[in-house]
């Protein structure tokens, strides 16, 4: 197990975007498989593929850049010569993640799913109007606590995998939600 973690860490160091993209693609697809497994229908592999593509091409590269950016540039405002507070910095990062990324990321996911299914733009807009806000507020019941722990205790290079692992269940929810709204 430790050699697997060491290899994963080397891959993250040498090819962070590719590594995070592969992990995200795998775990987005897994979330969709869980969502479909819960439903009475057979597994639609085109839907699994769409989720894998979103995770690998959209989410993975964004997250691989976003978490280091937040760690380096987002801090609680303080006066010169005042020591940093890890708790305050973590809280500010969570707020930025939840106020900026979460609403945008949910709209991006729902829109991408619609576009990959060749859904007309007007129908995508309608689906966003119907499901976006309830999905954002559901997000706020799960992710702030996850991100507090993630930002406070997980090294920045491992934050995408933490989000992706927890995200398997969130992605199952998103997949069910986006397919329920027709996206």
């Amino acid at each position: 197990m430790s050699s697997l973690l060491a290899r994963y860490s080397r891959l993250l160091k040498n090819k962070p975007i590719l590594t995070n993209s592969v992990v995200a693609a795998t775990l987005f697809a897994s979330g969709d498989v869980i969502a479909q497994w819960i439903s009475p229908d057979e597994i639609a592999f085109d839907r699994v593929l769409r989720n894998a593509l979103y995770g690998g091409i959209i989410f993975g590269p964004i997250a691989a850049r976003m978490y280091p950016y937040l760690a380096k540039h987002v801090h609680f405002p303080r006066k010169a010569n005042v020591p940093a507070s890890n708790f305050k910095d973590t809280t500010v990062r969570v707020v930025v993640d939840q106020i900026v990324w979460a609403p945008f990321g949910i709209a991006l996911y729902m829109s991408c799913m619609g576009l990959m299914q060749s859904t007309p733009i007007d129908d995508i807009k309608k689906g966003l109007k119907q499901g976006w806000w309830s999905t954002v507020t559901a997000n706020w019941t799960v992710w702030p606590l996850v991100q507090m722990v993630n930002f406070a205790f997980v090294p920045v290079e491992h934050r995408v995998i933490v989000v992706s692992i927890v995200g398997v269940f969130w992605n199952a929810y998103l997949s069910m939600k986006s397919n329920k709204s027709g996206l």
Side-chain angles (χ1 to χ4, degrees):
M1 183 66 165
S2 65
S3 65
L4 182 62
L5 184 58
R7 181 163 183 202
Y8 174 70
S9 293
R10 271 194 314 278
L11 286 169
L12 276 176
K13 184 178 180 181
N14 296 329
K15 297 180 187 230
I17 294 172
L18 177 62
T19 303
N20 282 312
S21 294
V22 169
V23 167
T26 303
L27 294 174
F28 265 82
S30 299
D32 184 64
V33 168
I34 290 169
Q36 291 190 58
W37 181 70
I38 292 169
S39 76
D41 301 324
E42 290 186 30
I43 300 289
F45 290 102
D46 59 330
R47 188 173 133 181
V48 175
L49 180 61
R50 284 192 298 273
N51 276 277
L53 287 171
Y54 176 83
I57 295 172
I58 309 287
F59 180 82
I62 290 172
R65 290 178 178 97
M66 182 178 70
Y67 290 114
Y69 179 86
L70 289 173
K72 186 174 182 178
H73 299 291
V74 177
H75 304 282
F76 188 80
R78 57 185 163 270
K79 296 177 183 173
N81 300 323
V82 174
S85 164
N86 190 35
F87 177 76
K88 288 179 181 178
D89 285 348
T90 298
T91 301
V92 169
R93 290 178 188 129
V94 170
V95 168
V96 168
D97 178 69
Q98 292 303 298
I99 299 298
V100 177
W101 169 249
F104 172 76
I106 290 166
L108 181 64
Y109 174 84
M110 294 172 88
S111 298
C112 286
M113 290 300 113
L115 290 170
M116 284 191 271
Q117 293 179 75
S118 301
T119 302
I121 297 294
D122 287 341
D123 290 349
I124 292 172
K125 288 178 185 178
K126 182 180 174 186
L128 285 167
K129 278 185 180 179
Q130 291 173 348
W132 176 79
W133 180 247
S134 64
T135 306
V136 170
T137 56
N139 166 87
W140 290 335
T141 67
V142 175
W143 286 104
L145 180 60
V146 171
Q147 292 295 52
M148 281 296 285
V149 172
N150 197 21
F151 291 152
F153 301 110
V154 177
V156 69
E157 66 272 10
H158 292 114
R159 289 179 185 164
V160 175
I161 195 167
V162 169
V163 167
S164 295
I165 290 169
V166 175
V168 166
F169 303 101
W170 177 250
N171 298 339
Y173 170 78
L174 277 181
S175 180
M176 287 187 293
K177 184 98 173 167
S178 69
N179 280 282
K180 185 178 179 181
S181 67
L183 297 177

